[in-house]
Amino acid sequence: MTSVASEPPVRWSAKQWALLAVLCLALLLDGLDVTLVGVALPEIGADLGMDTAQLQWIVNGYLLGYGALLLLGGRTADLLGRRKVFLVSLAVFAIASLIGGLVDDGLLIIITRFIKGVAAAFTVPTGLSIITTTFPEGKQRNKAVALYTAFGASGFSSGLVIGGLMTSLSWRWTFLFSVPIALGALIVGIFLIPRDRPNARGRYDFLGAFTMTAGLLLLVYTVVNAPEVGWGAPRTLLSFVGVVVLLGAFVAVERTVNSPLVPLSVFRRGALRGR
């Protein structure tokens, strides 16, 4: 009998490990921020005089920026370059975290949370794109993507635990906690993330970007606000109508422009449609 030779284990250089660590840390922070601040909401409300509805927008603000701009973030990395978009977004995330931990105004906290969500919407797809273009196709890339997604999932699950620990010190540490980690990842990333050139051709699809972003912003806003005003309320129903109109306009734009933000032909592929 002939024995089947086992495949050699995946071996990465120290630079590859360090690069992957930077990308994973960024994704970990993005996941953490979804749940990290939740434990601190009562303390924030008591300290700043915010009611329950206002406190909820500290969470919703992040989800609004993240959910509405995630698709646009990946396209922007193609147009401007992955390295530039990732580093700038990570810097914005760190600055917004610092400001959020220092201010004493509830509205400013909500704004910084929205900005952090926007920054995360750019770092997540850009980080994945850096992995797919840096690690060779096959076992190396599969393992890198698996580690990347595992860090993201662990961020969501550990946010409550870390948030509780930070809140025991001060609610401000739920914001400031991310600052040194993001800055460390930023500094290391400057040296490790490979330089690249924008690989998207053609003009930027401004109308498509506007209709898609506005539609997704309105969708996320409607979903997170519906439990408070009621799913059957006229305001909620009109918002959903607006979502349909905006996303319908986005599809119409993408079918006519020469350089669409999202080529609709991709949805005709069997792998996406299913069998």
Side-chain angles (χ1 to χ4, degrees):
M1 294 181 61
T2 59
S3 59
V4 179
S6 60
E7 296 185 13
V10 175
R11 298 186 185 277
W12 289 330
S13 65
K15 184 176 180 179
Q16 286 177 308
W17 275 111
L19 172 61
L20 185 60
V22 168
L23 301 177
C24 288
L25 276 177
L27 184 62
L28 176 67
L29 292 178
D30 295 337
L32 277 173
D33 245 66
V34 175
T35 54
L36 185 69
V37 76
V39 182
L41 292 181
E43 284 75 12
I44 296 175
D47 193 13
L48 303 183
M50 300 177 67
D51 58 31
T52 303
Q54 294 171 324
L55 289 173
Q56 186 61 38
W57 277 104
I58 294 179
V59 177
N60 293 344
Y62 185 89
L63 297 176
L64 185 63
Y66 182 81
L69 297 174
L70 189 61
L71 181 59
L72 186 61
R75 178 60 171 171
T76 303
D78 290 335
L79 291 168
L80 301 181
R82 292 177 291 273
R83 183 177 187 273
K84 180 187 299 183
V85 170
F86 184 86
L87 294 176
V88 170
S89 300
L90 192 56
V92 170
F93 187 94
I95 294 171
S97 298
L98 178 61
I99 295 174
L102 297 178
V103 298
D104 292 312
D105 183 85
L107 178 59
L108 287 178
I109 290 179
I110 294 173
I111 292 173
T112 60
R113 289 282 295 172
F114 175 77
I115 293 173
K116 290 175 72 173
V118 172
F122 283 80
T123 57
V124 171
T126 306
L128 183 59
S129 180
I130 291 172
I131 288 177
T132 58
T133 55
T134 302
F135 292 86
E137 185 176 2
K139 290 187 64 177
Q140 288 199 33
R141 184 183 298 175
N142 294 341
K143 182 178 179 180
V145 171
L147 287 173
Y148 185 70
T149 54
F151 267 80
S154 65
F156 287 107
S157 60
S158 59
L160 292 175
V161 177
I162 297 177
L165 294 174
M166 294 298 102
T167 305
S168 65
L169 301 174
S170 169
W171 65 262
R172 296 184 184 278
W173 280 105
T174 60
F175 293 84
L176 299 175
F177 171 81
S178 302
V179 176
I181 301 175
L183 289 178
L186 175 64
I187 294 171
V188 177
I190 291 174
F191 297 98
L192 292 181
I193 297 177
R195 297 183 180 275
D196 62 298
R197 293 182 178 180
N199 57 19
R201 298 179 179 179
R203 296 181 178 179
Y204 191 73
D205 181 13
F206 287 104
L207 185 56
F210 171 77
T211 52
M212 181 271 293
T213 302
L216 291 180
L217 272 171
L218 183 58
L219 175 62
V220 177
Y221 174 83
T222 304
V223 170
V224 300
N225 208 40
E228 180 182 347
V229 301
W231 288 94
R235 174 179 166 184
T236 301
L237 297 178
L238 286 174
S239 293
F240 277 122
V241 171
V243 171
V244 173
V245 171
L246 286 168
L247 295 184
F250 169 70
V251 173
V253 169
E254 299 306 278
R255 296 182 64 180
T256 57
V257 297
N258 294 326
S259 301
L261 187 67
V262 179
L264 298 180
S265 59
V266 71
F267 297 105
R268 292 196 289 268
R269 296 178 182 176
L272 291 177
R273 288 186 288 107
R275 299 292 182 180

